[in-house]
Structure formats: structure tokens, C-alpha cells
Amino acid sequence: MRILTIVKQVPDSNATIKIAASGTAIETAGLKLVMNPFDEFAVEQAIQLREKGQPVEEIVALTIGDDKAAEILRTALAMGADRALHVCDPTLLSHDEVYLAEILALAIQKQPQPFDLILTGKQAIDMDAGEIGPALAEFLNRPHVGAVVGLEISGKQLKARRRVEGAEEYMEVELPALLTCEKGLCEPRYPSLPNLMKAKKKPLDTLKAADLPGVEKISRRSELVAMQPPAARKGCKFVEGEPAQMAKELVRLLREEAKVV
Amino acid sequence: MSPLFMSLMLLAGWGIFIWSAKRRWVLMNIGPAEPRWDQPGRRLALTLKFAIGQARMPRYGWSGVAHILVFSGFLVLLLRSLILWGRGYDASFNLFIFGPEQPLGMLYAIFKDTFALLVITGVLIFAYYRGIKKLPRLTHTTEGMIILVIIFTMMVSDILYDAAHMVRSGAYHRIEYAGYLLSGLLKQAPDGGLAILEQLGFWMHSGLVLLFLNLLPYSKHFHIITALPNVFFQNLQPVGRLTPIHDMEGRIEREEPLGTSQIDHLHWKHLLDLYTCTECGRCSDMCPANRTGKLLSPKHLTIHLRDHLYSHQKEVLQLDSSTGGDTKTPSRLSAAPLVSNELIKPEVLWACTSCRACEQECPVFITYVDKIVDMRRHLVMERSEFPEQLQNAFRGLESSGNPWSYPPDSRLEWAEGLNVSSAAEKPDFDILYWVGCAPAFDARAKQTAAAFAKLLNHAGINFAVLGREETCTGDAARRAGNEFLFQMLAQQNVETLNRYQVKKIVTTCPHCFNTLKNEYPDFGGKYEVVHHTDLLADLVQHGKIKPTQSIEQNITYHDSCYLGRYNEVYDAPREILRAIPGVQLVEPELTRDRGMCCGAGGAQMFKEEEHGQLRVNQERTRQLLKVLDEAPQRGGCAVATACPFCMTMLSDGLNDRERSEVQQLDVVQLLAKSTGL
Ligand code: SF4
Ligand code: SF4
């Protein structure tokens, strides 16, 4: 079995996000960037399949992004992926995930051998679009199960578990397939130091637009036009005084200011 | 006597002993090199004080006294054994100058008999603790009792020999008073019986010494020989400094270990520690993990390592001795890994709070924290196996420079409106206030930082902080075994501090204090580092801060391990508290260098406590409440701390015990209050 994991570099969830002067991007200077946490589940799951005895010949990590995005490929390699692919070309960047998915599909089809299983996060925590998985499955014409929290493979059969309101669903698909991963699937590992070092020596290939003939025909379907910080939340108001007074004041405020009673 | 028999006995006794000792010697040298010859003068002085002078013994009460008796008796009676061996060849042998009529001999005779009696007293005290009181800290084996019987018999047989000899030869030396007194009882005995007694006493003594000698390398009494070098070669670096692993990347390339995973990763001094353990159990008695029912018992850790070493002796000795002591090769042993469910369980290592109570208590200066951290290093960096919660801390440190992943931008929120400048804004500061992560982010510790800044401003100190340029010192990462992460943080911080040409640093956190002071010099960061209580005590003494408002409370001060045992700051916080009018300082039973840990150190703050009967902070809170409750009641009471982690732990402890009426404050908060700030 050959597994492909698709990963994305995103700002750390605790980072303070500022909008850049352009108004269509965020300030990246000094911003701490990490692997999208949902994609970490994908990488971890791939490695665990191998560790638990599935005949996994190769685990590949793929990303599309600028030069810095190579860092997360090294992380995936340190966790245990065998090699990495980096689609890295300034002409191919976009916020349009369907566009990106189409490029990824092209890059995947250019690989000498096909992948039996493609794993990626159910969404990236920066844009929260969640389109890459389903769109890519569509372009590659494979079955897709989204937001998976458990999976079992026997031979060509894959049984995926997902959580829905008040129940759990089990879906069966036949490989090759594409799954997106949800929190709960597994716990991503902390790479050991020797593995971090070894990752530096594993193959990481970069693909430019020129390496992907036909990519020029793919067009963007949407454009990011503006970003705005969310309106600042108003602070709480504390009512003070004697209990009876407070109750009166509270009712007055609810009536006159909040207009809810 | 019988020269032939004496020769045979000496030859066999010493021959076997030398054979055993040589095997132990080779075994000791299987690990990496470790230079310990620096500062020989200081080493000698420490050896004279603690090994020969037995300076730690009074700490242990009657069993310490008993040890002094037996130890000094052994020194004195060493000479006697030599004389007796000589008498195997010549019945009048007295080492030339120790004859009973010669002045030195007369002096020695008094000494010898006195110390023989003292040894007997010591042995009886030991026997009482072992046999009657059955002190739980001891390992109760027959070996312990046999050794006591041997020592006792050696003493008695010597006196018996003297007495029988006097009666038979008619040469009564009153100066050998023990023998002389006994001879009075033997006068009526028939000569045949006396001859037997004389022979028996003589051969028992001279033979038992050899038997005893041969038991040493195979028992906990090996310390009689190894304690001296173990004290001499003790670590002279600051106790708060862990040894850095240099060139980690290179080590990985060359497949050298990053931590301890095999017994031959321990260097010779660590192995000498194992030889030297007396199994007295004082370490475990003081260990907070052991006291609260965790799997960790430092004594048993040592014993398990030692037994493992001995049980692989054959295998080790077969290794090509020409490569012995080679640090470069990975473990040459095929032995089972040290950290495993069969030998040293991971939860044993993860229970340690790195409080050093064990090391402070050990009579023979055995170290634990370094060994435990070395095994954690292996687990974290090589096996990536550690308590799950630590991963959050590691990731936070990597991405945000603090273990809780707070945005670095919010590092100065505590200082709003307090007139605190950053080093970038005020480069001509005299002293840098290193805030630390807890005082920067933790709601309660923030108040400590604020109170401290107010006091500094009040006293007119020209200080600055690093603000968002500060990141965690890496103490917790290092003690959790993540040396790689620690070094990343250390290098970054040293670079920032050197960029601002910092000379003097004050901290409100003992962990930051210890790391900056004792560990950053290894990474090119050399500063004068003071703890806030030291600085404040000084300001109070010089009248720059005048606590005038009365606080009518009983206050007990909880010693932080990293301030007290690690850096010997015991008095400054107490001086501050005493300077506050109205404060009545009460001391808990376990205090100062015996103060019990709050449970947060050694990265425990960032993980769940290991399984036990009780949480460490609950036990410590119980002890502190006990002294507060027993003191005559006044306006109220408080637990004072000087460490943000202790603060969290003890206030949690007070909450658990539903004693929220007891206040829990940092010394600096109390001082600020009394100063009217
Ligand atoms: S350092 Fe403290 S917790 Fe660790 S073994 Fe020693 S006494 Fe126990
Ligand atoms: S390590 Fe020290 S304190 Fe602990 S049992 Fe051994 S000799 Fe005693």
C-alpha cells in the first residue's frame, strides 16, 4: 500500500493575527507557522498504519505553498514519512482551495506510481474552508469519507468511522480512496531527536509550474478581495450595589439597553 | 602462634579480596570518561570534613552518633589488626613502637580499649534500630545483622584475647583496661582452658577481620572502602547545573547515546555511587514522591541499578577491556534496556520532582537528579516516550516561548500602568528584571510581579524587563529530559541578554534564578543573578524599603527547593517576613534544607502527577497547616512562598483541604502590603 498525506502550513493557533497593509493577507513577519493540526492526524495515521502491520511501502507528504512551507514537510518526514513533495511556485498560490486541489490532482497524477490511500485534514485552521479533501477526491475520481475518527483496513476494504450528531457512522469504501481526518483519530507524535536529524536527509522534491505541464489551463474560480479584523467584543458590564437595587438596575438595563425583556 | 597458619590465612584473605576488588574496579570503568580531579585541595577538605570528620552524621540523631562510634573505632582498631597479624609470626610483635611498656603503646592501649567499647555501644544502637525498632527506612536483611554480629565478635574476641594472655603470661597491663578487668574473672580458670580462650580470641579477631574484608565488595558495607573516594570525587559544580550534552547533532550522526539507556552509559562516578549506597534509606525517607506513595524510591532506584550492574558483571567483564571507557561507542552490552517495565519503570522516573531532598540527606553524597534526568533524556529525545501532557508544554515552548502557549505579545500585560519599561525602551538600566513565564501569565503570579515592580520603583531601582523578547529559560524542558529544546531556548535567551549587555539580573522565580545563574554560563551567559528576596532583604536592611504597616498574622514560610537546597537562599525571605511588624514567623517541622517539595519541580508542573496515595502538594499543605493550627491563634494566618510554582501548588492544596481562609501569598506581596503599596 502506498499512502499520500497532504499537509498545509498555517499560523500557530495561539499566534496573534494581524492583517497586512495590503488588506488581502495577514502579517507574516515574526508569525509562528506550524503544520495544520488536522493534517498532523493524517500523517500520524499513515505512520500508525505502517507500525500496526499494514503492508505500507511508502508514505509521501505533499504540500503546496511558499518556500517556508518546506518546514512542515520536514516535520512530516521526522514523524515518519519517507519522502516529500513540495509544489512551490509563486504563480500557483491562491486562497481558492478548489484551484489548489486541481493543481494537487495534477501533481499526484504525474507521480510514477499511484497512491492507494490519500489522507488529509478535514480543514485547515487558517481559512477553515475544508474544500481540499472533497474537491481532490472529485478531481481524482475516488471515493471520499470526511471527518474520519477511526479506520480499519483489510485488503482493499476500508471501514471508516465518523461522528455525527448523537451517533457514529461507519462507512465502507474500496481502495483507492481519500479520507479527511478529524480530531480523535489519533494523537500526533513528538518526533524524537534522531528522527528529526534523519528527516534532513530524506528526499524532498520541489515541483515548479514548469514541472506540471497543463497547470496553466487551471483557472481560479474565486478571489480573496478583503480581510477585516472582527469587531472588538464589548466588555461585560457589572451591576453593583445592594441586591434589591441590583435586581432593579438589571431589569432596567435588560429592558432599555439590551431590549430583550 | 602459628606462622604457617597465619600466612595461609593472610594469603587467602587478601588474595580473594584483591581478586574481588579488581573485578569491581574493571566493572566500574565500563562507562564514559568523567574527569573529577579538578580542585584537589577542596576535595581533600571535603573528604576530611564529611568522610573522616563524619560532619553529616549529627544530622541523623542517635544512629548518626552510633556511626561515628563505629567508624572512629574502626580507624583506631585498624592498627590493632596489623599488630595481631604480626603476632601470628612473633608473639611479642608490637609494630616496634606500640609495646605495652612503650609510651606510644600505652597511649594506644587506652585508645584501643575505649574505642572497642564504643564500637560495641554503636553496634548495640544499630542492633536496636534493626532488630527491635525495625526502622522502616532500612533494608531488613540477614546480611545487616550478620555484619553486626561479626563486628561485635571482633571486638569481644580482642578483649578476651588480651585478658587470657594477661592471666597466662602474668604480665598484667592495667592500661589495657578492658582486658585487665576481664582478666579478673579469668584468674581461677585452668591453664588449659585459658590457652584455648587466648587462641580463640586471637584467631577469631584476626580471622574475622579478613572475613569482613571479603564480605565488603559483595554487600552494602562496601561503603567502608568506597565512601572515601565517593566523597572525594563528588560533584563540585553548582548542584543546580545539569551537565549539558554538547554537539547533539554530531552525537546522533555518530549514533552515540543522548541519555542513559544502558548501565554502561553511567560513568565511573555514577557506578561508584551504586557501590557506595549503604541502603540506609534516608533518601527515600525524605523523598516527596516516596512519602506520598509514588512508585519512586531513590534508595530502590540505586539498588535496582546496582543489582542490574552486578548481575551483568560477567558479560561486562568479557567485553574487550581495550575499549573500556570508550564514550564513542553505543552501548556494548546486549543487556535489557534500563528503563522498562522489568527494571526501572518509566513512572518511577516521571515521579521525581528534582527536589534534591535525597541528595541533601545521603550520608555518602550519592546523586540522583542527574541520573534520573539522563534517563529521561533517553526517553524523551531518543524514544519520544513521555507523559502526554508534556507534549503541550514542549510545543508551547517551541511555538510561543512559554509552556502554556500564551501569545508572546501578552508578556507585559501584568505591567500595565505600573511604569515598567522594556530594555529596548530604556537601554541604560542597572538591573534586568527577568519576569519568567508564570509571573507573566499566571493570574496569581502576575500579582507577585506587579508587587515586585512597585517595590522596585518605590526604592528607586533603575530596572527594565525584556517583555516579548523574553522566552522561558527552559528549566522545565531540561528537567523533563528535553535537552535539545532547552538548549534552543538557552541560546536564544543568552543572545538577547548579551545584546542588551546585561550585567545583573533579578528574578521572581527560583527556577529561572537557578537556570540563569548556574546553567546559562555553559552557554555563554555570565551574569550576576539574584533572587527577588535577596534583593528586597537588602533594600529593607538599608532602609530603602520600610515596611511599617502591621500584619497581625502567624505566617509559615515554605522553602522552595530551587531557592533553598539548590541555591542556599534560606534567610533572605525569613528576614523580610521578620521585618514586617506584627508578623509571627512559625517554622514547619520539615524546613530549610529538609523542607518538603511542593510537587511542581522537575517539570511536574506541566504533567499529571504519577499515581500514588496522595498528591505531594496535599501532603505539604498538611504539614504547613499543622504548624499554623498549633500556633497560638492571632489575627489570621498565611503561607508565604517565594516561587510561583509553589504558589500554585500550595493554593491548590489549601483549596483541596477547604482551608481558603488561610492566605497564600508571595513574600514580596506581604512586603508590598506592609510598605503601603
Ligand atoms: S529529587 Fe526529590 S523527588 Fe526526586 S528522587 Fe530525590 S527526593 Fe525524590
Ligand atoms: S543513596 Fe544514600 S541515603 Fe539513599 S540509601 Fe543509599 S546511602 Fe542511604
Side-chain angles (χ1 to χ4, degrees):
Chain A
M1 183 164 45
R2 306 180 69 250
I3 307 180
L4 177 72
T5 61
I6 300 170
V7 293
K8 183 182 186 187
Q9 192 176 40
V10 297
D12 185 77
S13 57
N14 295 302
T16 321
I17 305 290
K18 292 194 194 92
I19 293 169
S22 70
T24 55
I26 58 169
E27 197 68 76
T28 50
L31 191 64
K32 183 77 196 174
L33 299 167
V34 297
M35 188 194 294
N36 174 34
F38 292 106
D39 298 341
E40 284 188 342
F41 300 135
V43 178
E44 176 66 33
Q45 183 59 53
I47 301 159
Q48 284 191 13
L49 283 173
R50 171 182 274 165
E51 285 173 351
K52 291 192 179 135
Q54 287 288 334
V56 177
E57 289 128 54
E58 191 176 42
I59 300 172
V60 181
L62 166 65
T63 192
I64 178 164
D66 58 14
D67 293 335
K68 283 191 96 170
E71 288 167 13
I72 60 156
L73 291 177
R74 290 289 172 209
T75 308
L77 293 172
M79 288 172 76
D82 304 307
R83 67 183 175 93
L85 285 171
H86 186 183
V87 180
C88 180
D89 192 313
T91 63
L92 301 180
L93 295 179
S94 170
H95 287 289
D96 178 352
E97 289 202 356
V98 178
Y99 167 76
L100 295 177
E102 204 171 346
I103 298 175
L104 289 173
L106 189 67
I108 293 167
Q109 279 154 350
K110 289 268 179 286
Q111 289 300 300
Q113 281 172 293
F115 294 97
D116 305 281
L117 179 62
I118 300 180
L119 295 170
T120 187
K122 68 160 187 171
Q123 74 199 83
I125 62 163
D126 54 352
M127 304 305 282
D128 277 340
E131 291 169 45
I132 290 280
L136 187 56
E138 201 57 35
F139 287 122
L140 294 173
N141 194 23
R142 329 179 141 198
H144 157 253
V145 185
V148 171
V149 293
L151 67 92
E152 275 167 46
I153 298 179
S154 58
K156 287 260 148 216
Q157 284 301 313
L158 186 148
K159 196 166 163 192
R161 181 160 58 92
R162 51 198 308 281
R163 245 177 248 136
V164 290
E165 194 65 47
E168 290 199 323
E169 272 179 3
Y170 290 84
M171 316 267 281
E172 275 192 1
V173 290
E174 196 166 303
L175 295 178
L178 185 149
L179 308 184
T180 66
C181 306
E182 167 69 303
K183 188 176 164 67
L185 178 63
C186 52
E187 272 304 315
R189 71 194 57 202
Y190 188 80
S192 72
L193 205 47
N195 285 344
L196 275 173
M197 300 292 151
K198 277 185 213 142
K200 291 187 184 163
K201 294 195 184 130
K202 290 184 180 175
L204 191 161
D205 297 323
T206 306
L207 298 173
K208 299 276 167 204
D211 302 316
L212 299 168
V215 76
E216 62 290 344
K217 289 194 213 102
I218 303 173
S219 58
R220 294 170 176 83
R221 296 158 176 86
S222 67
E223 210 64 49
L224 178 81
V225 289
M227 284 175 131
Q228 240 178 21
R233 232 190 294 159
K234 278 195 217 135
C236 295
K237 191 175 251 177
F238 282 94
V239 183
E240 284 170 22
E242 291 299 312
Q245 261 183 325
M246 286 197 285
K248 241 188 200 164
E249 176 66 3
L250 182 63
V251 174
R252 188 190 68 79
L253 287 172
L254 289 174
R255 216 171 250 150
E256 292 169 17
E257 283 193 17
K259 299 199 169 70
V260 289
V261 287
Chain B
M1 298 285 173
S2 162
L4 179 67
F5 191 63
M6 183 56 89
S7 303
L8 285 177
M9 196 171 81
L10 283 175
L11 217 61
W14 279 101
I16 300 173
F17 172 74
I18 289 169
W19 178 79
S20 305
K22 188 172 165 255
R23 279 163 59 95
R24 289 286 187 251
W25 170 262
V26 176
L27 190 64
M28 192 180 87
N29 286 299
I30 53 169
E34 167 71 13
R36 286 281 171 101
W37 275 110
D38 56 310
Q39 309 181 51
R42 196 170 148 215
R43 293 185 180 283
L44 200 63
L46 286 166
T47 313
L48 287 175
K49 180 171 175 199
F50 290 104
I52 310 290
Q54 302 269 295
R56 257 190 191 180
M57 287 300 148
R59 187 183 175 92
Y60 312 128
W62 280 109
S63 60
V65 173
H67 193 273
I68 295 178
L69 297 182
V70 174
F71 171 77
S72 43
F74 270 32
L75 285 189
V76 172
L77 293 161
L78 215 61
L79 205 59
R80 175 67 173 174
S81 298
L82 284 180
I83 293 175
L84 288 195
W85 287 337
R87 287 192 190 168
Y89 300 88
D90 168 6
S92 62
F93 181 73
N94 278 312
L95 250 178
F96 318 112
I97 47 170
F98 292 104
E101 276 90 32
Q102 290 162 298
L104 265 182
M106 286 159 80
L107 191 67
Y108 181 64
I110 302 181
F111 263 94
K112 169 185 81 83
D113 279 13
T114 308
F115 277 94
L117 294 176
L118 289 177
V119 170
I120 291 176
T121 317
V123 166
L124 291 177
I125 299 178
F126 282 147
Y128 166 74
Y129 281 127
R130 263 187 190 276
I132 299 174
K133 207 161 173 227
K134 299 211 188 307
L135 222 56
R137 66 173 165 83
L138 299 172
T139 311
H140 291 278
T141 52
T142 29
E143 176 204 310
M145 272 300 183
I146 290 177
I147 294 281
L148 289 182
V149 171
I150 292 182
I151 299 176
F152 182 83
T153 318
M154 273 193 312
M155 297 303 124
V156 173
S157 56
D158 188 34
I159 297 172
L160 190 68
Y161 159 69
D162 268 351
H165 185 69
M166 279 181 215
V167 181
R168 288 195 72 211
S169 63
Y172 289 97
H173 301 294
R174 284 163 192 248
I175 204 111
E176 292 174 329
Y177 66 88
Y180 178 72
L181 286 177
L182 189 61
S183 69
L185 296 176
L186 298 179
K187 273 189 185 144
Q188 313 307 331
D191 188 59
L194 281 176
I196 294 178
L197 276 188
E198 187 187 357
Q199 292 283 334
L200 196 71
F202 176 83
W203 290 109
M204 283 257 269
H205 183 96
S206 33
L208 279 177
V209 175
L210 289 172
L211 176 70
F212 187 66
L213 186 68
N214 275 289
L215 290 179
L216 297 184
Y218 301 96
S219 76
K220 71 192 180 67
H221 290 84
F222 206 12
H223 77 267
I224 293 175
I225 296 170
T226 58
L228 262 132
N230 211 48
V231 173
F232 183 84
F233 292 114
Q234 67 181 274
N235 176 29
L236 292 187
Q237 299 284 336
V239 290
R241 167 190 178 267
L242 288 170
T243 313
I245 311 179
H246 294 296
D247 183 25
M248 272 188 269
E249 303 196 5
R251 290 185 72 94
I252 295 165
E253 299 253 314
R254 298 187 295 273
E255 299 198 354
E256 292 166 22
L258 294 177
T260 300
S261 60
Q262 290 286 352
I263 195 75
D264 61 342
H265 294 164
L266 293 173
H267 56 66
W268 64 270
K269 176 60 179 65
H270 281 158
L271 298 179
L272 187 62
D273 276 356
L274 306 185
Y275 288 180
T276 308
C277 177
T278 69
E279 300 185 23
C280 70
R282 295 187 172 99
C283 50
S284 297
D285 228 21
M286 296 310 281
C287 171
N290 186 57
R291 287 175 89 102
T292 54
K294 313 284 148 53
L295 223 45
L296 167 65
S297 150
K299 171 173 112 170
H300 290 98
L301 181 68
T302 297
I303 295 179
H304 288 154
L305 286 171
R306 186 195 65 196
D307 290 352
H308 179 76
L309 175 70
Y310 286 178
S311 67
H312 288 86
Q313 167 146 342
K314 216 169 138 207
E315 191 184 345
V316 171
L317 293 180
Q318 275 166 358
L319 292 170
D320 181 4
S321 55
S322 62
T323 60
D326 185 355
T327 62
K328 300 291 179 280
T329 46
S331 176
R332 293 164 292 132
L333 279 183
S334 58
L338 285 186
V339 190
S340 63
N341 281 331
E342 288 72 48
L343 199 56
I344 292 162
K345 293 196 170 73
E347 56 260 52
V348 166
L349 302 175
W350 291 116
C352 176
T353 69
S354 76
C355 71
R356 284 198 69 255
C358 49
E359 299 182 1
Q360 190 77 35
E361 213 58 28
C362 178
V364 288
F365 292 77
I366 289 173
T367 58
Y368 280 103
V369 178
D370 50 354
K371 296 191 190 89
I372 291 176
V373 169
D374 274 347
M375 287 187 264
R376 287 182 177 183
R377 283 173 172 174
H378 160 69
L379 283 179
V380 170
M381 293 192 293
E382 296 180 316
R383 273 169 44 186
S384 201
E385 287 171 20
F386 47 83
E388 199 183 309
Q389 311 85 15
L390 282 179
Q391 187 165 158
N392 289 332
F394 291 161
R395 286 184 173 226
L397 289 170
E398 282 167 7
S399 66
S400 317
N402 69 81
W404 298 285
S405 303
Y406 284 109
D409 282 336
S410 56
R411 263 201 187 264
L412 269 182
E413 271 173 12
W414 65 271
E416 257 163 49
L418 290 180
N419 188 20
V420 173
S421 317
S422 70
E425 293 160 354
K426 185 165 75 170
D428 62 339
F429 58 88
D430 297 328
I431 180 162
L432 183 90
Y433 171 27
W434 182 277
V435 183
C437 299
F441 299 115
D442 178 78
R444 300 218 328 116
K446 274 182 183 175
Q447 297 169 7
T448 307
F452 184 55
K454 281 186 203 161
L455 281 166
L456 288 180
N457 278 331
H458 176 77
I461 306 285
N462 174 19
F463 76 101
V465 297
L466 285 179
R468 69 154 298 154
E469 287 184 274
E470 185 182 302
T471 73
C472 176
T473 56
D475 158 76
R478 184 170 226 197
R479 272 141 194 97
N482 199 336
E483 179 73 7
F484 187 70
L485 179 52
F486 164 73
Q487 291 193 8
M488 247 164 59
L489 294 164
Q491 273 148 14
Q492 186 181 337
N493 283 325
V494 166
E495 199 194 293
T496 312
L497 289 167
N498 290 350
R499 183 153 38 83
Y500 286 113
Q501 296 177 349
V502 173
K503 305 256 156 17
K504 187 170 177 184
I505 302 177
V506 61
T507 74
T508 33
C509 170
H511 295 264
C512 297
F513 171 63
N514 179 65
T515 301
L516 288 165
K517 181 174 182 216
N518 298 320
E519 302 195 308
Y520 276 21
D522 282 326
F523 301 90
K526 300 197 168 70
Y527 322 103
E528 182 193 346
V529 189
V530 292
H531 186 255
H532 72 299
T533 53
D534 260 335
L535 184 80
L536 291 175
D538 201 53
L539 290 172
V540 170
Q541 208 190 1
H542 289 92
K544 299 258 176 62
I545 293 175
K546 293 195 180 74
T548 48
Q549 299 185 12
S550 178
I551 300 178
E552 292 294 329
Q553 284 189 337
N554 289 334
I555 295 183
T556 186
Y557 172 71
H558 162 83
D559 285 285
S560 143
C561 307
Y562 277 74
L563 207 51
R565 270 188 296 273
Y566 272 88
N567 290 292
E568 289 179 358
V569 180
Y570 296 114
D571 294 324
R574 290 177 167 85
E575 277 163 23
I576 296 174
L577 291 173
R578 282 201 201 95
I580 300 175
V583 165
Q584 179 64 44
L585 192 60
V586 290
E587 294 285 350
E589 192 187 327
L590 294 179
T591 185
R592 298 180 70 100
D593 69 355
R594 275 195 171 142
M596 188 177 129
C597 179
C598 70
Q604 296 294 343
M605 184 73 191
F606 306 102
K607 59 183 277 296
E608 288 298 324
E609 203 160 313
E610 298 304 313
H611 180 73
Q613 289 145 6
L614 206 67
R615 299 174 61 88
V616 174
N617 64 341
Q618 290 170 334
E619 169 58 14
R620 184 55 176 163
T621 315
R622 185 193 64 75
Q623 298 167 0
L624 296 170
L625 284 172
K626 181 163 177 269
V627 60
L628 286 175
D629 289 345
E630 282 168 0
Q633 294 305 303
R634 298 164 72 232
C637 52
V639 171
T641 50
C643 167
F645 292 161
C646 297
M647 176 177 257
T648 305
M649 285 298 183
L650 296 179
S651 51
D652 285 357
L654 287 170
N655 280 340
D656 277 357
R657 297 199 174 269
E658 299 181 358
R659 292 295 300 270
S660 48
E661 88 282 2
V662 178
Q663 281 192 312
Q664 207 286 287
L665 295 164
D666 192 286
V667 172
V668 67
Q669 288 176 284
L670 288 157
L671 181 62
K673 194 170 154 204
S674 173
T675 314
L677 294 171

